Amino acid sequence: MGGAVSAGEDNDELIDNLKEAQYIRTELVEQAFRAIDRADYYLEEFKDNAYKDLAWKHGNIHLSAPCIYSEVMEALDLQPGLSFLNLGSGTGYLSSMVGLILGPFGVNHGVELHSDVIEYAKQKLDFFIKTSDSFDKFEFCEPSFVTGNCLEISPDCTQYDRVYCGAGVQKEHEDYMKNLLKVGGILVMPLEEKLTKITRTGPSAWETKKILAVSFAPLIQPNHADSGKSRLVHLPPVAVRSLQDLARIAIRGTIKKIIHQETMRNGNGLKNPPRFKRRRVRRRRMETIVFLDKEVFASRISSPSDDNNNSEDIEEERREEEETKPSELKPDPPVNFLREKVLSLPLPDPLKYYLLYYREK
């Protein structure tokens, strides 16, 4: 499933293509996608395919196509402070992007059938927290993963504001999935080969919207052949933040405000640094594949002025490439102002490292 947009050279270009094709439509979702490099969730030998709009599977490890994740993130309508449950959490890629939006007072839980995938997800989460420069731009709701079959969740579990299932759901399991939602909550799942958004508008009232046709592997049914008993999955408790964590969140937030005030005073503002390997935006037609009731329609998204300006744009791009090619150098890495400010404070080193989540330099 996928292939609706052209491949990118890097993560930012992949996101540009998803935006141009209208799969990413809101700023919050765009920020989350740009903050986490999709290639970081691939095994090293498969990273050449990371920026293609295609699903990837190796053993039990699986990633859906970027266009699918985009539609899921948009449909979930995420907001800070909500609770989220990811059924079939896999590599943790989606859960980590969701955590950037939920913020420090959200809830972020995942259920994954395969224990080896849970370990893989924890390694990738640790790598993101310790090494990513984008981490300090957000207050993160760290995901917690448990092993088990998502069709065997304990009936006394809490309900969630947002639920996503990353495997095909049959009609007989629809009510089971709905019962995981709070009133006002949103459930997104592949239901009978359609990515479906279900909103719980009341205790027994629902609104259903079909988003697009998809092809997902079906949910694996529980196997009780060994013991004959169900193995209930107990989700993590909804933990209350410690005073120490609350202090760290407050201090980091205060420092960010100070940095913002200083940069505004200097007239610089808080702008993102230019990204490396960015291409000049072309006025071009993009082929977008739309799936509807198992039929495939190809539509073109283009600017009204494309035909008039296309030849001029190509010539201008050619001149620019010739001018910049000899002297093209990789720019300096972006400055992490929060890290610099924390390290400059007159504080004991252990406290500085705590404020920085013990992250690597």
Side-chain angles (χ1 to χ4, degrees):
M1 190 68 204
V5 302
S6 57
E9 289 188 1
D10 57 19
N11 196 66
D12 279 314
E13 190 166 321
L14 171 63
I15 306 314
D16 290 342
N17 293 340
L18 291 168
K19 281 189 65 182
E20 189 171 354
Q22 291 295 300
Y23 285 101
I24 293 178
R25 299 179 289 276
T26 58
E27 185 177 353
L28 276 177
V29 172
E30 179 187 353
Q31 288 174 351
F33 268 87
R34 291 199 190 278
I36 298 181
D37 196 319
R38 181 176 168 88
D40 289 341
Y41 287 79
Y42 276 66
L43 293 170
E44 192 65 36
E45 60 266 36
F46 299 104
K47 286 190 174 183
D48 288 346
N49 297 317
Y51 307 122
K52 297 177 182 178
D53 189 27
L54 298 171
W56 172 65
K57 190 177 191 320
H58 181 78
N60 292 326
I61 302 170
H62 177 264
L63 281 167
S64 294
C67 67
I68 300 298
Y69 281 135
S70 305
E71 289 287 5
V72 169
M73 290 281 285
E74 293 287 357
L76 285 170
D77 189 22
L78 297 161
Q79 303 294 331
L82 296 181
S83 57
F84 172 67
L85 176 62
N86 189 352
L87 304 175
S89 51
T91 65
Y93 172 64
L94 178 68
S95 291
S96 292
M97 287 195 293
V98 169
L100 296 174
I101 298 176
L102 297 183
F105 305 113
V107 174
N108 194 355
H109 293 163
V111 179
E112 169 57 43
L113 182 63
H114 303 287
S115 58
D116 60 326
V117 180
I118 290 274
E119 289 307 310
Y120 186 86
K122 289 179 178 178
Q123 292 171 14
K124 296 303 180 182
L125 175 62
D126 189 58
F127 179 82
F128 169 67
I129 292 175
K130 288 185 176 179
T131 66
S132 173
D133 274 333
S134 63
F135 178 82
D136 284 330
K137 297 178 183 178
F138 300 85
E139 291 299 339
F140 188 46
C141 182
E142 185 173 332
S144 298
F145 305 113
V146 296
T147 306
N149 190 309
C150 66
L151 292 175
E152 296 184 298
I153 292 175
S154 175
D156 61 356
C157 79
T158 184
Q159 293 177 315
Y160 290 80
D161 297 302
R162 301 291 185 268
V163 177
Y164 170 65
C165 181
V169 178
Q170 298 304 311
K171 192 67 177 176
E172 59 263 30
H173 297 306
E174 180 179 356
D175 289 341
Y176 171 89
M177 296 293 177
K178 287 179 176 179
N179 287 331
L180 297 172
L181 273 186
K182 295 179 180 178
V183 173
I186 294 173
L187 164 66
V188 178
M189 61 181 176
L191 180 64
E192 297 186 315
E193 298 189 343
K194 298 288 194 303
L195 189 65
T196 305
K197 175 181 179 179
I198 298 176
T199 305
R200 187 169 194 171
T201 56
S204 302
W206 316 86
E207 288 182 358
T208 301
K209 177 183 178 183
K210 304 292 184 181
I211 301 174
L212 77 165
V214 292
S215 178
F216 276 66
L219 284 171
I220 295 177
Q221 302 301 309
N223 183 1
H224 304 146
D226 295 336
S227 62
K229 295 181 180 179
S230 175
R231 299 170 183 170
L232 289 181
V233 176
H234 296 279
L235 296 170
V238 179
V240 178
R241 287 275 190 177
S242 68
L243 289 176
Q244 192 174 16
D245 271 352
L246 292 173
R248 173 163 60 184
I249 292 166
I251 293 170
R252 283 167 61 92
T254 300
I255 294 173
K256 286 180 181 178
K257 288 180 182 178
I258 292 171
I259 293 170
H260 178 74
Q261 291 169 356
E262 290 175 350
T263 52
M264 293 300 291
R265 241 189 336 265
N266 296 332
N268 297 328
L270 278 179
K271 296 181 180 178
N272 290 327
R275 300 190 294 268
F276 180 51
K277 288 170 65 176
R278 299 294 300 115
R279 292 178 176 175
R280 184 178 184 275
V281 177
R282 299 180 181 181
R283 293 186 181 94
R284 66 185 182 192
R285 293 186 178 95
M286 170 163 287
E287 299 291 348
T288 301
I289 300 173
V290 180
F291 296 88
L292 182 63
D293 292 332
K294 297 185 179 179
E295 297 185 19
V296 182
F297 299 86
S299 62
R300 287 184 172 181
I301 300 175
S302 60
S303 167
S305 59
D306 279 355
D307 295 334
N308 296 333
N309 296 330
N310 188 52
S311 59
E312 296 177 8
D313 289 342
I314 294 173
E315 179 63 25
E316 184 177 347
E317 287 177 16
R318 186 186 63 78
R319 288 197 301 268
E320 288 180 356
E321 288 175 0
E322 289 177 354
E323 291 171 3
T324 59
K325 192 172 182 180
S327 59
E328 187 175 331
L329 297 174
K330 185 174 181 178
D332 294 332
V335 178
N336 188 324
F337 293 105
L338 179 65
R339 177 184 294 280
E340 286 197 346
K341 180 66 75 173
V342 169
L343 292 176
S344 70
L345 294 173
L347 298 172
D349 284 346
L351 180 52
K352 293 180 183 179
Y353 300 148
Y354 175 76
L355 290 174
L356 295 172
Y357 287 85
Y358 303 101
R359 296 179 63 234
E360 298 172 5
K361 294 185 179 180

